[in-house]
Amino acid sequence: MTDENPFLTPSELPYKLPPFADIRNEHYAPAFEAGMAEQLAAVEAIANDPAEPTFDNTIVALERSGLGTLKRVSLVFFNKYSSDTDDELNAIEADLSPKLAAHGDKILLNGDLYARIDALWAKRDELGLDEQDLRLLERYRTDFVRGGAALDQDGKDRLAAINTELAELASKFNQVILTDINDAAVHVTDAAELDGLGEDQIGAAAAAAKDRGLDGYLITQSNFSRHPLLEDLKNRDLRERLYKATIGRGRDNAATLLRMIRLRAEKARLLGFEHFAAYIAADGTAGNAGIIAERLAGLAEASVRNARREAAELQEVIDAQDGGFELAAWDWSFYSKQVRQAKYGFDAEAFKPYLELDRVLVDGVFYAAEKEFGLTFRLREDLQGYHPEARVWEVLDSGEPLGLFVGDFFTRDSKKGGAWMNALVVQSDLTGDKPVVVNNLNIVKPSEGQPALISVDNVTTLFHEFGHALHGLLSACRYPKTAMTSTPRDFVEYPSQVNEMWEDWPEIVANYARHHETGEQAPAELIEQWKAAAKFGEGFASTEYLGAALLDQAWHRLAPDEVPDGGDDPYAAVEAFERKALEDAGIYLPEIAPRYRSGYFAHISIGYAAGYYSYIWSEILDADTVEWFKENGGLTRANGDHFRETLLSKGGSIDPMESFRRFRGRDAEIDPLLERRGLK
């Protein structure tokens, strides 16, 4: 460890943006070691303090203990590992994950520290705490109890061993996912097979092949079971090949998955829960795994009914046009596009020239935030991101400095699939830090010199992920632990889903949907066709999502002795379990794979294990909130200020459902969601 390590001291850049120009791979491991040692020394001092425990000398001191070197290096490393990894970073992460798990257990299993926290909790009503203080105390006590602090020594030892092994397995699982995404790319040598793709799509495939030293074209993989190009490719054989390459990923993850599920089941039992799904639900807004199962089952029945109706429509098109085959999974997107065009006149390719990435971002996403919250954005070309494609904007709040937004939008082999938001600096009144947040997407990069024309799905994702960014940027919380997006998993998706409503709001779409060459607005008829067509396919979308959510629940409702052994063919065991779980849930349709199959279901290897239901759970709040905005005049600064003041700014510093009640004036109702998804 030398003084040259940039993680040793706070960054001197604006908003404490990490000094990426100075950071090298060799800095990470020493900084983690120093940071863990630094925090453990602070924790030991708190636990052994001879003074009676107080909120300041125990809870606030514990909060401060993790805010130095360890916090700085963690935020940077895990963002870089997700966004732009390499073999060296992969090796560091694999070595580091079990060490971090063990480090966390040394804190959470510290009996003397837990005794101080529990003593404060017992007399919490006498401490004169405000709601943010009380929430911080509650979260620490909950974390320690759920972390095993109340177990006997044998239980603590076993839990620590489980956590360490789970960290190792999760690292292995996610590295296989990234490898599989790259390895499952489909190589095409005959340009005729690409019939149906636009020039930008063909150019991107040619560029991808060139990048890997291949002739012809390379169709890179997406993170989902349904590849986005399936709706455009006319060649049925290539569609089948692409689909099977997509859903065939994860074979090498089968044994790892089964071991993770078994260990989680054991962990839940050790902590007094029936299964891991119950353990997760207990700390969410749902509160009970039975309620989750009941809600998902009810939605699944209606979703499948709608999906079967859509399938019949698609088969009619096949019979009329082509004949001779039954609808298969690789046909669904292709014929859905035709039905949308026939019923609503909407052609997604005709819309693309009006959806240039930067215009959608600046004149759509940023513009909506300006109208709703008074935010403005200034590109800071003088500030460097962690990758040349990661651009930095300064965010101003009615002209006053608020934070930084980093946008990293294009896919690359070094980036994991999907889309997400990270923090590089956490907002906190305790530290005086302002937020620095990152949005990562996986938009296919255009060939050199071509505009980045994006799909309507990409537009939705831009607005969604920026909803997470707003949740971070608008945070006004005292403590880092409860700031920004630090809410239960089944609440955190809610603000991001709400932000999607602005993508087709008339004032917003008129501002960003302009031809990339002429600047002309998209025809009103095309906009209306888009809105109408968006209503078609809810049966598929709901069934695809619920298949994954129910699969996640099925895995995590198992007792340790119920987890398949796997034997000589763990992949076959995983496939058999998947099929039975979906059949038992009444949602098995051969034409619709779950959005993620088990072997590449990254959510269940990390923080969303037994929590993928969160998206639909959050959507209940989202749909009810959209109704409130519409009832109160839509996109106005007054509405935005109310949403910000009562909910977005609170992060997790108060009970999230209490913040929703303060915003909405009542508890959430499910009817708006059912109407949105056509499930009533």
Side-chain angles (χ1 to χ4, degrees):
M1 198 69 179
T2 70
D3 291 340
E4 295 178 357
N5 193 306
F7 295 113
L8 282 177
T9 56
S11 170
E12 297 181 357
L13 292 174
Y15 301 91
K16 296 184 180 177
L17 178 73
F20 292 111
D22 301 329
I23 295 171
R24 299 186 298 278
N25 285 354
E26 64 208 56
H27 292 138
Y28 291 118
F32 272 109
E33 294 293 341
M36 287 188 284
E38 178 184 288
Q39 185 177 28
L40 285 179
V43 165
E44 285 298 319
I46 298 166
N48 298 323
D49 188 344
E52 286 294 311
T54 66
F55 182 76
D56 284 336
N57 73 16
T58 301
I59 303 302
V60 176
L62 184 56
E63 181 74 345
R64 290 187 183 278
S65 73
L67 300 182
T69 303
L70 185 58
K71 189 73 168 181
R72 288 191 293 270
V73 68
S74 295
L75 291 173
V76 172
F77 176 79
F78 286 106
N79 179 79
K80 180 74 171 175
Y81 171 70
S82 298
S83 307
D84 186 33
T85 193
D86 55 33
D87 290 343
E88 190 175 0
L89 287 180
N90 289 341
I92 293 171
E93 193 274 342
D95 178 67
L96 182 65
S97 288
K99 292 180 179 179
L100 286 173
H103 172 74
D105 284 335
K106 289 176 183 176
I107 297 172
L108 292 176
L109 299 176
N110 186 313
D112 292 334
L113 183 56
Y114 172 61
R116 294 178 70 88
I117 295 170
D118 200 43
L120 290 170
W121 180 251
K123 58 180 182 180
R124 60 190 178 278
D125 294 336
E126 307 167 19
L127 300 177
L129 305 179
D130 66 16
E131 62 181 359
Q132 288 205 43
D133 294 341
L134 186 60
R135 178 69 174 175
L136 185 69
L137 172 59
E138 183 270 329
R139 290 315 305 161
Y140 269 115
R141 183 179 184 275
T142 297
D143 286 352
F144 272 74
V145 171
R146 290 172 62 81
L151 295 174
D152 61 22
Q153 192 57 50
D154 287 345
K156 288 180 178 181
D157 290 344
R158 179 57 189 150
L159 182 62
I162 289 172
N163 288 339
T164 296
E165 187 176 356
L166 280 172
E168 293 171 344
L169 293 168
S171 173
K172 180 179 178 181
F173 190 92
N174 282 303
Q175 291 192 21
V176 169
I177 288 176
L178 180 58
T179 298
D180 280 0
I181 283 179
N182 293 331
D183 290 349
V186 174
H187 186 207
V188 177
T189 55
D190 184 357
E193 290 189 83
L194 302 179
D195 187 22
L197 300 188
E199 290 184 10
D200 57 325
Q201 294 168 320
I202 294 173
K210 183 179 179 181
D211 286 346
R212 296 203 197 176
L214 299 172
D215 294 330
Y217 309 89
L218 192 70
I219 300 176
T220 55
Q221 281 293 350
S222 70
N223 204 38
F224 310 108
S225 296
R226 177 175 50 153
H227 196 287
L229 293 190
L230 289 174
E231 73 170 20
D232 298 315
L233 287 167
K234 294 182 179 180
N235 186 302
R236 190 168 189 247
D237 289 341
L238 181 56
R239 290 204 306 269
E240 181 178 1
R241 183 180 162 202
L242 178 58
Y243 175 79
K244 289 183 175 178
T246 303
I247 67 162
R249 292 172 290 150
R251 181 175 294 274
D252 292 339
N253 263 338
T256 302
L257 172 71
L258 294 175
R259 181 62 178 164
M260 284 196 297
I261 298 299
R262 190 173 294 109
L263 288 172
R264 287 185 186 136
E266 183 185 350
K267 175 177 178 175
R269 287 288 177 89
L270 192 60
L271 292 169
F273 293 89
E274 181 183 2
H275 41 60
F276 194 74
Y279 170 76
I280 292 299
D283 198 37
T285 64
N288 183 292
I291 294 172
I292 295 168
E294 181 180 344
R295 179 64 53 79
L296 292 179
L299 294 173
E301 181 180 356
S303 296
V304 170
R305 185 169 59 248
N306 287 355
R308 292 190 188 281
R309 185 165 54 245
E310 291 168 10
E313 288 189 65
L314 303 185
Q315 189 64 55
E316 288 178 6
V317 175
I318 292 172
D319 293 342
Q321 290 185 5
D322 302 297
F325 64 86
E326 292 186 5
L327 175 71
W330 49 89
D331 300 316
W332 193 295
S333 296
F334 182 75
Y335 288 99
S336 288
K337 180 178 179 179
Q338 293 194 37
V339 171
R340 286 196 303 270
Q341 290 176 340
K343 292 184 70 170
Y344 308 105
F346 178 64
D347 182 355
E349 284 303 304
F351 198 18
K352 261 192 171 182
Y354 299 92
L355 302 177
E356 193 276 323
L357 171 60
D358 277 3
R359 189 180 288 275
V360 175
L361 178 68
V362 174
D363 294 340
V365 175
F366 290 173
Y367 181 69
E370 179 182 1
K371 292 296 181 182
E372 188 178 9
F373 303 114
L375 306 182
T376 53
F377 301 81
R378 182 172 63 190
L379 185 63
R380 291 290 300 266
E381 294 181 341
D382 59 314
L383 297 179
Q384 179 178 326
Y386 53 85
H387 185 277
E389 292 173 355
R391 293 175 289 166
V392 182
W393 283 266
E394 183 175 18
V395 186
L396 303 175
D397 180 12
S398 298
E400 295 298 316
L402 179 66
L404 295 177
F405 171 74
V406 182
D408 184 2
F409 302 115
F410 293 121
T411 190
R412 50 182 173 265
D413 288 352
S414 62
K415 182 189 287 191
K416 75 175 185 179
W420 65 94
M421 171 267 196
N422 282 340
L424 291 173
V425 179
V426 176
Q427 179 275 328
S428 166
D429 292 343
L430 182 69
T431 62
D433 291 341
K434 296 181 181 295
V436 178
V437 301
V438 182
N439 273 176
N440 262 282
L441 275 70
N442 268 277
I443 295 170
V444 175
K445 190 175 182 179
S447 53
E448 189 172 354
Q450 296 301 309
L453 304 180
I454 64 176
S455 67
V456 290
D457 286 343
N458 292 150
V459 174
T460 302
T461 304
L462 274 170
F463 277 89
H464 177 97
E465 293 305 327
F466 197 72
H468 286 304
L470 287 169
H471 203 182
L473 288 166
L474 298 178
S475 176
C477 301
R478 186 174 304 146
Y479 302 110
K481 185 176 179 64
T482 55
M484 301 174 74
T485 58
S486 296
T487 66
R489 286 294 189 190
D490 55 8
F491 187 90
V492 75
E493 295 297 332
Y494 154 52
S496 56
Q497 290 170 330
V498 169
N499 203 56
E500 293 176 27
M501 87 167 108
W502 307 125
E503 70 172 316
D504 65 356
W505 199 261
E507 180 182 359
I508 303 303
V509 73
N511 202 54
Y512 74 76
R514 294 175 175 270
H515 198 281
H516 70 97
E517 291 178 336
T518 67
E520 293 179 0
Q521 284 189 358
E525 181 182 14
L526 184 59
I527 300 296
E528 291 307 312
Q529 290 169 346
W530 168 42
K531 292 180 181 180
K535 299 175 183 177
F536 178 78
E538 280 296 343
F540 179 98
S542 296
T543 301
E544 180 193 47
Y545 164 75
L546 288 166
L550 286 160
L551 186 59
D552 174 34
Q553 288 291 304
W555 279 119
H556 291 108
R557 293 176 72 88
L558 297 176
D561 59 357
E562 294 174 334
V563 180
D565 175 71
D568 294 332
D569 193 351
Y571 186 69
V574 168
E575 283 198 311
F577 180 87
E578 276 191 0
R579 171 116 182 214
K580 186 176 187 306
L582 295 173
E583 287 176 339
D584 289 348
I587 203 166
Y588 176 74
L589 290 175
E591 307 97 322
I592 305 178
R595 185 174 297 178
Y596 305 97
R597 295 189 65 201
S598 301
Y600 51 89
F601 202 164
H603 292 75
I604 64 174
S605 71
I606 49 174
Y608 276 81
Y612 194 64
Y613 78 90
S614 301
Y615 291 89
I616 198 76
W617 201 267
S618 295
E619 197 178 349
I620 297 171
L621 307 179
D622 154 37
D624 202 10
T625 298
V626 170
E627 286 301 303
W628 180 89
F629 270 92
K630 291 178 178 178
E631 291 167 1
N632 288 276
L635 184 60
T636 68
R637 180 67 185 276
N639 285 345
D641 286 347
H642 177 64
F643 191 39
R644 175 181 184 171
E645 174 60 29
T646 56
L647 195 142
L648 288 180
S649 66
K650 303 301 181 184
S653 66
I654 63 173
D655 176 72
M657 294 310 296
E658 174 58 26
S659 65
F660 179 85
R661 284 187 285 271
R662 292 180 188 181
F663 160 70
R664 192 67 172 96
R666 57 165 173 74
D667 288 328
E669 297 178 353
I670 195 173
D671 282 355
L673 170 66
L674 299 179
E675 291 174 6
R676 172 191 288 183
R677 287 187 170 258
L679 300 178
K680 287 195 72 173

